[in-house]
Structure formats: structure tokens, C-alpha cells
Amino acid sequence: MTERKPPGISFETWADRQIREAEERGAFANLQGKGKPLPNLDKPYDDLWWVKEKMARENLSFLPPSLVLRKEAEDALAAVEKAPSERMVREILSEVNDKIREAIRRPPPGPPLNLAPFDIDEAVRAWRERRDRERAEED
């Protein structure tokens, strides 16, 4: 539709002709979502619907850096629970501890961090106890 509207033709007539010709060429055949109801028709209108959909589609989030680090620390603790070795526990926690220490030195914008570096030796001890308990339950 790079063609410009010719002078002397009303815009509506020109647009209708463009649509009709595109339909005749089959440009609208087999479009994604054809025959399906429009999503979210029952929800209230949101001006930023397209931004939210794009962020969800691309798995993005917009959180203040301090909240992102809190979530990362929470995910690190969950990863420690499933870690296969003591070395992995130490690697996971030392990586997040480095980020926490940096955030303490230079506080990020947003809400307060409210995090302290994890005690890696204590986490390893708890990991060992949990692993030993699980092994004992299997026997």
C-alpha cells in the first residue's frame, strides 16, 4: 500500500478500493488468529496494553534494580536447594553475594535493598544436613 491517494477521489473510496484489491489478491487469507475472538474483550481498556503484551511475550520486566536483586537472591536460595554439589552451592551464593555487596556499596535507585550477603558456610552446612536427611529417608 505504498501507492498514494490520487487527487479527486475521496479517501474513503480510495481506502475501500485498496482493501478490496488486497482481499482479491488473498492478502488477508490465512492471517494469524483468523476466526478466533479478539482476546481480552471482557477486560477494561488499558492504554498500555500493547507494552504489557510485548513485555510478557519477550519475558521482560521493569522493576527497580533493588527489587530485581531481591528476586535474584530468592532464586539463588531456590537453586541452592536443588544444587547437586557443595561446589555449586558455593558458586551460586558467591555470585549473588558479589552483587549484594556492590549494591550495598552503591545503593541502587528504588526501594531499600534490605539484603545482607549470605553466610556461605552456614548455607553449605544446611545443604549438607538436608541432603543427609533426604538420603536417610530414602533408605
Side-chain angles (χ1 to χ4, degrees):
M1 188 152 149
T2 58
E3 177 184 334
R4 297 186 69 89
K5 180 182 88 60
I9 296 178
S10 73
F11 183 79
E12 184 176 353
T13 305
W14 177 75
D16 290 339
R17 189 182 87 221
Q18 296 290 317
I19 293 169
R20 182 181 44 76
E21 289 174 356
E23 283 178 332
E24 290 170 359
R25 286 192 310 268
F28 299 128
N30 302 321
L31 288 177
Q32 181 181 355
K34 178 182 177 186
K36 296 179 183 173
L38 294 174
N40 303 324
L41 280 180
D42 56 341
K43 294 183 180 176
Y45 182 72
D46 181 6
D47 288 335
L48 296 176
W49 65 268
W50 61 276
V51 174
K52 293 175 183 173
E53 281 187 13
K54 182 165 178 67
M55 290 178 75
R57 199 171 43 245
E58 296 186 8
N59 200 19
L60 300 172
S61 69
F62 181 73
L63 290 173
S66 58
L67 294 182
V68 171
L69 186 52
R70 281 192 215 169
K71 174 70 172 132
E72 194 171 333
E74 185 179 303
D75 293 345
L77 288 178
V80 162
E81 296 269 334
K82 299 174 185 171
S85 67
E86 179 181 322
R87 185 180 58 79
M88 283 298 295
V89 171
R90 290 183 183 279
E91 284 179 15
I92 292 167
L93 292 180
S94 64
E95 185 177 319
V96 78
N97 275 352
D98 292 342
K99 292 178 182 181
I100 291 170
R101 285 186 191 100
E102 180 61 28
I104 290 170
R105 276 194 292 278
R106 291 193 193 116
L113 184 60
N114 293 336
L115 276 180
F118 295 107
D119 182 343
I120 295 177
D121 293 329
E122 175 60 28
V124 167
R125 186 192 59 70
W127 176 83
R128 278 189 197 135
E129 287 177 1
R130 191 171 39 258
R131 184 191 60 178
D132 292 344
R133 194 171 44 249
E134 289 171 359
R135 286 183 179 170
E137 289 173 1
E138 288 176 0
D139 292 339

